[in-house]
């Protein structure tokens, strides 16, 4: 950017913002004309290709289109227009009223109405209030927040500034994982640019309103995604949940009213304030308006970030956008909500993805993780995997989570290790119910969900493990055995590649595996040229 342009945009007011938008749009248009993967549709730029055509990208509208390190690109596509409108045309009560009417529900997992949370903070007349952006994205395989912070950081800054004006806060914090170095770098650049141009700091856009933002880096503790644990971490304490005596919108950071929303929630705010609550209510469902960003990963052909209207079916996401499983395999289940979510079987893929519908079938929306599993996945082992993660990430403050999840994990390891008994299934159900009902925070309260949902929908797999000592998916190593079929041509490759030397046979004769000595590494099956070695 030239020195002349820097001087022109420094200390922007509402009128100068409009002037900058016009010149910046012309420069952006010229640059985007050279790209073949972007199209201008109804005045808005959209990514092209079959992966995007069935999506409605609102939160992700600028991702991979603008330069996240150049505030002018964001302004060119309408950035900070909502903040300008709020500061010049609306009172804080009117902003909170519009947010309440939009029924934007928190995208961090719980789905609490954003407007209701803001209204609670607004009514407390105290000198200091805070806005906190929860960017502590810890779900395995999730990268929704990271993508927004890396590719469109100003949308989050603008949403936080609007929230600050609405509730009377002059300070905000973004709690972001230190493992996201690019997101941290782009946030630092965006905050510096916003301050330089009068979009953060004192007298924003020439008004009397002041608001600033600082970064706080998390160390990767999954429990710090919980609001009160996050607050404890910002205050310099160990990240452990507080007993819920007060809502954080009443007494949060340093005992002051604090609004905590996640990245995706804040990114929706400028759109709602710019286009109106009625527009937002026209997308999605009555109970869950708007869109939702999902991290579609696992055994699916087209993995990546997906944004669709609330109410879109799982079938449409997994097959319509994701393309289903790889050739030769069938999708078995999808897990929503990260390690706290339930596993949904294929026969329920007609379920709409919204808060109420997922709750009815024993799962949650969560922050937007969506892991696809196929017929090669063992659902008992999947439950063990997610519970292992939760045990590792438990802060240990409350007994049900600290001790109960460990006992559940031990039981699952016993089952997948071939030592399970029929009564272990009842133990898992009892432990799950107690942990869910008595844990202190959301981590413990939802820790048993993957186990309970798989027990409900895939009970036959558990029964096969404990009754027949077999794994129907042939995934649990302790329950596997390798067998050489009549297809064997006696090439001796399996015997030569076996690390345990447990395969015997003469050249051009069928070989035999000594199952007592077999370490079940699968090397024999990998080298067999005719597929004669099978798992059973």
């Amino acid at each position: 950017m030239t020195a002349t342009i820097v001087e022109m945009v420094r200390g922007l007011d509402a009128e100068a913002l409009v002037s900058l938008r016009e010149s910046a749009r012309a420069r952006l248009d010229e640059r985007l004309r050279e790209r073949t993967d972007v199209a201008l549709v109804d005045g808005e730029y959209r990514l092209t290709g079959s992966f995007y055509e069935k999506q409605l990208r609102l939160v992700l509208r600028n991702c991979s289109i603008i330069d996240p390190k150049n505030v002018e690109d964001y302004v060119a596509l309408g950035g900070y227009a909502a903040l300008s409108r709020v500061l010049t045309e609306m009172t804080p009560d009117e902003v909170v009223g519009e947010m309440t009417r939009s029924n934007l529900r928190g995208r961090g997992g719980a789905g609490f109405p954003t407007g209701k949370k803001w209204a609670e903070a607004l009514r407390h007349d105290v000198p200091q209030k805070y806005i906190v952006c929860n960017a502590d994205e810890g779900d395995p395989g999730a990268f929704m927040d990271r993508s927004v912070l890396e590719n469109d950081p100003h949308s989050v800054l603008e949403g936080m500034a609007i929230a600050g004006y609405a509730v009377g806060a002059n300070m905000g914090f973004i709690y972001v994982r230190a493992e996201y170095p690019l997101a941290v770098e782009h946030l630092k650049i965006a905050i510096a640019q916003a301050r330089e141009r009068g979009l953060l700091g004192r007298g924003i856009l020439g008004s009397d309103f002041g608001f600033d933002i600082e970064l706080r880096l998390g160390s990767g503790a999954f429990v710090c995604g919980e609001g009160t644990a996050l607050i404890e971490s910002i205050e310099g304490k160990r990240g452990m949940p507080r007993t819920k005596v007060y809502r954080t919108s009443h007494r949060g950071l340093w005992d002051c009213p604090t609004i905590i929303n996640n990245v995706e929630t804040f990114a929706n705010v400028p759109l709602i304030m710019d286009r109106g609550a009625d527009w937002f209510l026209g997308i999605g469902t009555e109970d869950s308006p708007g869109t939702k960003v999902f991290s579609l990963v696992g055994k699916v052909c087209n993995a990546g970030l997906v944004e669709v209207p609330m109410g879109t079916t799982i079938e449409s996401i997994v097959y319509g956008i994701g393309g289903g499983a790889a050739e030769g395999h069938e999708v078995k289940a999808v897990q929503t909500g990260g390690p706290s979510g339930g596993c949904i079987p294929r026969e329920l893929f007609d379920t709409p993805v919204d808060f109420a519908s997922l709750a009815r079938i024993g799962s949650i929306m969560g922050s937007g993780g969506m892991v696809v599993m196929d017929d090669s996945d063992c659902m008992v082992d999947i439950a063990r995997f997610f519970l292992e993660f939760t045990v590792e990430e438990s802060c240990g403050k409350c007994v049900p989570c600290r001790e109960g999840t460990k006992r559940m994990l031990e039981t699952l390891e016993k089952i997948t290790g071939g030592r399970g008994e029929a009564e272990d299934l009842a133990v898992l159900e009892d432990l799950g119910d107690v942990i869910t009902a008595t844990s202190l925070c959301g981590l413990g309260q939802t820790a048993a969900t993957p186990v309970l949902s798989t027990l409900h929908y895939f009970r036959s797999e558990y029964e096969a493990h404990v009754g027949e000592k077999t794994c129907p998916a042939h995934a649990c190593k302790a329950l596997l055995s390798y067998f050489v079929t009549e297809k064997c041509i006696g090439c001796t490759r399996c015997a030569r590649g076996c690390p345990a030397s447990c395969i015997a046979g003469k050249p051009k004769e069928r070989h035999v595996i000594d199952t007592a000595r077999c370490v079940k590494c699968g090397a024999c099956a990998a080298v067999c040229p005719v597929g004669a070695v099978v798992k059973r």
Side-chain angles (χ1 to χ4, degrees):
M1 187 184 297
T2 66
T4 305
I5 295 174
V6 170
E7 192 62 35
M8 177 186 72
V9 299
R10 183 174 288 133
L12 289 169
D13 58 18
E15 185 176 340
L17 182 68
V18 174
S19 177
L20 174 62
R21 177 170 299 112
E22 293 172 354
S23 59
R25 178 63 186 253
R27 289 189 290 273
L28 181 64
D29 286 344
E30 183 177 357
R31 194 171 78 237
L32 291 179
R33 280 194 209 103
E34 301 175 0
R35 290 180 53 178
T36 58
D37 61 333
V38 175
L40 189 62
V41 181
D42 298 329
E44 295 184 357
Y45 285 105
R46 299 178 186 175
L47 295 172
T48 58
S50 58
F51 184 71
Y52 302 105
E53 64 185 17
K54 295 181 181 179
Q55 299 186 41
L56 177 60
R57 292 168 75 90
L58 299 177
V59 170
L60 302 177
R61 65 195 180 280
N62 294 330
C63 294
S64 301
I65 290 177
I66 67 171
D67 178 359
K69 296 184 287 186
N70 186 350
V71 66
E72 289 191 26
D73 276 13
Y74 180 69
V75 171
L77 298 182
Y80 290 107
L83 178 59
S84 178
R85 174 173 176 261
V86 162
L87 295 180
T88 57
E89 300 178 15
M90 302 178 74
T91 66
D93 280 311
E94 289 173 334
V95 176
V96 171
E98 189 75 354
M99 288 302 300
T100 302
R101 197 165 67 84
S102 73
N103 194 26
L104 171 64
R105 299 181 62 173
R107 299 307 199 239
F112 192 83
T114 304
K116 187 176 180 180
K117 184 183 292 187
W118 290 16
E120 170 71 13
L122 175 62
R123 74 181 183 88
H124 295 293
D125 187 13
V126 295
Q128 185 64 58
K129 301 177 184 179
Y130 295 101
I131 305 296
V132 174
C133 176
N134 184 349
D136 190 64
E137 184 175 54
D139 293 359
F143 49 96
M144 300 78 64
D145 292 351
R146 186 186 75 186
S147 183
V148 174
L149 295 176
E150 290 178 353
N151 294 284
D152 194 17
H154 285 282
S155 65
V156 179
L157 304 189
E158 184 178 10
M160 292 178 69
I162 292 171
Y165 175 77
V167 306
N170 62 9
M171 189 66 204
F173 295 92
I174 300 178
Y175 189 88
V176 60
R177 298 194 142 232
E179 298 98 323
Y180 288 177
L182 187 61
V184 172
E185 177 191 347
H186 288 184
L187 279 170
K188 288 179 178 178
I189 294 171
I191 291 171
Q193 290 179 339
R195 285 173 180 159
E196 183 181 25
R197 290 152 178 77
L199 300 166
L200 284 179
R202 295 181 181 179
I204 293 177
L205 290 172
S207 70
D208 296 329
F209 172 62
F211 183 80
D212 205 359
I213 295 174
E214 292 184 7
L215 297 183
R216 290 292 185 270
L217 303 188
S219 299
F222 180 67
V223 73
C224 284
E226 196 275 339
T228 60
L230 182 153
I231 286 175
E232 291 282 293
S233 182
I234 292 178
E235 292 180 354
K237 306 169 187 174
R238 182 181 175 188
M240 301 176 77
R242 297 175 178 176
T243 303
K244 307 300 188 293
V245 178
Y246 302 98
R247 289 193 179 276
T248 55
S249 50
H250 178 196
R251 293 173 64 175
L253 189 60
W254 291 298
D255 219 28
C256 298
T258 304
I259 293 300
I260 305 178
N261 287 123
N262 85 321
V263 170
E264 187 178 344
T265 307
F266 279 123
N268 270 291
V269 171
L271 284 168
I272 294 171
M273 301 315 301
D274 186 43
R275 305 185 188 187
D278 289 334
W279 165 82
F280 189 75
L281 289 166
I283 304 168
T285 67
E286 182 178 356
D287 180 63
S288 304
T291 61
K292 183 71 189 78
V293 181
F294 292 99
S295 173
L296 185 63
V297 297
K299 306 292 182 63
V300 64
C301 291
N302 304 318
L305 282 183
V306 172
E307 184 175 2
V308 294
M310 288 279 200
T312 302
T313 63
I314 298 172
E315 178 92 13
S316 299
I317 298 173
V318 174
Y319 286 94
I321 299 174
E327 186 176 353
H329 291 279
E330 295 290 333
V331 173
K332 178 188 286 188
V334 64
Q335 200 248 14
T336 64
S340 304
C343 295
I344 303 166
R346 175 69 182 83
E347 56 266 25
L348 293 179
F349 276 20
D350 59 346
T351 302
V353 176
D354 58 60
F355 292 101
S357 298
L358 290 178
R360 279 195 293 269
I361 60 173
S363 191
I364 60 173
M365 179 81 69
S367 59
M370 186 173 283
V371 183
V372 179
M373 289 154 278
D374 67 13
D375 48 22
S376 67
D377 288 306
C378 168
M379 302 311 295
V380 185
D381 192 54
I382 290 291
R384 183 205 57 78
F385 167 79
F386 283 113
L387 196 62
E388 184 178 49
F389 175 85
T390 305
V391 168
E392 180 70 23
E393 295 294 339
S394 173
C395 74
K397 185 173 184 177
C398 71
V399 173
C401 181
R402 183 182 70 238
E403 299 298 328
T405 55
K406 286 182 180 178
R407 301 293 85 79
M408 288 190 79
L409 179 59
E410 289 170 357
T411 305
L412 286 170
E413 288 174 340
K414 178 183 174 185
I415 293 172
T416 56
R419 296 172 283 107
E421 302 171 4
E423 52 265 31
D424 289 332
L425 306 189
V427 170
L428 287 173
E429 290 173 324
D430 290 343
L431 278 172
D433 291 340
V434 171
I435 295 167
T436 301
T438 59
S439 291
L440 177 61
C441 80
L443 186 150
Q445 291 163 8
T446 57
T449 304
V451 182
L452 296 178
S453 65
T454 52
L455 267 169
H456 179 72
Y457 292 117
F458 300 96
R459 195 175 190 88
S460 62
E461 293 197 26
Y462 281 85
E463 291 172 344
H465 280 68
V466 299
E468 303 167 20
K469 298 294 187 278
T470 61
C471 174
H474 304 301
C476 294
K477 189 174 180 180
L479 299 176
L480 283 180
S481 61
Y482 284 88
F483 176 74
V484 180
T485 67
E486 294 179 354
K487 293 171 61 177
C488 178
I489 58 176
C491 67
T492 74
R493 288 188 187 180
C494 59
R496 285 183 279 129
C498 178
S501 300
C502 67
I503 303 177
K506 296 179 180 179
K508 299 183 180 181
E509 292 183 3
R510 180 178 174 180
H511 284 46
V512 177
I513 298 174
D514 183 349
T515 56
R517 294 166 53 202
C518 177
V519 295
K520 305 171 185 178
C521 65
C524 51
V527 299
C528 181
V530 293
V533 182
V534 297
K535 292 185 287 187
R536 63 178 183 180

